Amino acid sequence: MNRIISPHQRLLREQKNGIEDMLRSSARLIYGKSYEVELEFREAAKCLKNLATSLQNIDASMEFYQRDIERILANPTSNLNDVVYKRVAIQDACYSLQLNMSLWRLSWVTFIFLPLTFIATLFGMNVDLLSDNPSFKW
């Protein structure tokens, strides 16, 4: 019975030793790779840190450029809005002055012609209102 089991035990030991060797070599490979990966991660972290610093510098310069753009473009356009509103106010004032002038002329025409119309109407009646003995009977 030992003769039957011993070759199988030997095969199992060989397989066990082979598996252990593969695990050791895999562990060395993984450890070696993990060390290389760790080095790559450290380099990547340095690159990312440099990139973050560069982005902060870019952000600061963008704020400077944004203020510059606001100073150059936005402020003059806000002044243009004020100019547009003032122009509309001036235009309304001109229309108001024209209307005032028209109403002033109409007032003078009315001042002259209203009494004349009253007198013409009074003398145009067929009554003896202005005779020696006027009668106010109709």
Side-chain angles (χ1 to χ4, degrees), residues 24-136:
R24 281 188 206 110
S25 64
S26 297
R28 284 185 202 125
L29 183 64
I30 289 172
Y31 178 73
K33 290 290 184 182
S34 68
Y35 182 71
E36 291 173 7
V37 169
E38 183 180 345
L39 288 177
E40 288 180 15
F41 277 134
R42 285 183 184 174
E43 288 179 27
K46 286 179 186 177
C47 289
L48 287 175
K49 195 173 187 179
N50 291 338
L51 182 64
T53 305
S54 299
L55 287 175
Q56 287 175 349
N57 292 338
I58 289 173
D59 189 37
S61 64
M62 289 302 288
E63 288 177 8
F64 171 75
Y65 288 127
Q66 182 180 4
R67 277 186 257 122
D68 205 25
I69 287 171
E70 286 177 2
R71 183 179 55 82
I72 292 172
L73 296 177
N75 292 340
T77 56
S78 66
N79 292 340
L80 287 176
N81 287 340
D82 292 339
V83 168
V84 167
Y85 288 133
K86 289 176 183 177
R87 187 188 181 315
V88 168
I90 290 171
Q91 191 174 11
D92 287 344
C94 287
Y95 289 144
S96 176
L97 288 174
Q98 288 175 354
L99 184 63
N100 279 343
M101 186 58 81
S102 297
L103 290 176
W104 182 76
R105 288 182 190 133
L106 181 66
S107 297
W108 273 104
V109 168
T110 304
F111 177 73
I112 293 171
F113 285 106
L114 188 64
L116 291 175
T117 305
F118 175 73
I119 293 172
T121 305
L122 187 65
F123 284 114
M125 287 186 197
N126 291 328
V127 292
D128 53 355
L129 183 66
L130 300 175
S131 61
D132 290 335
N133 291 323
S135 79
F136 293 104

Side-chain angles (χ1 to χ4, degrees), residues 6-24:
S6 67
H8 291 294
Q9 284 178 344
R10 192 179 46 211
L11 280 173
L12 286 173
R13 269 189 230 122
E14 287 175 7
Q15 286 180 357
K16 179 184 170 191
N17 291 338
I19 290 172
E20 285 177 354
D21 288 339
M22 282 182 15
L23 286 174
R24 281 188 206 110

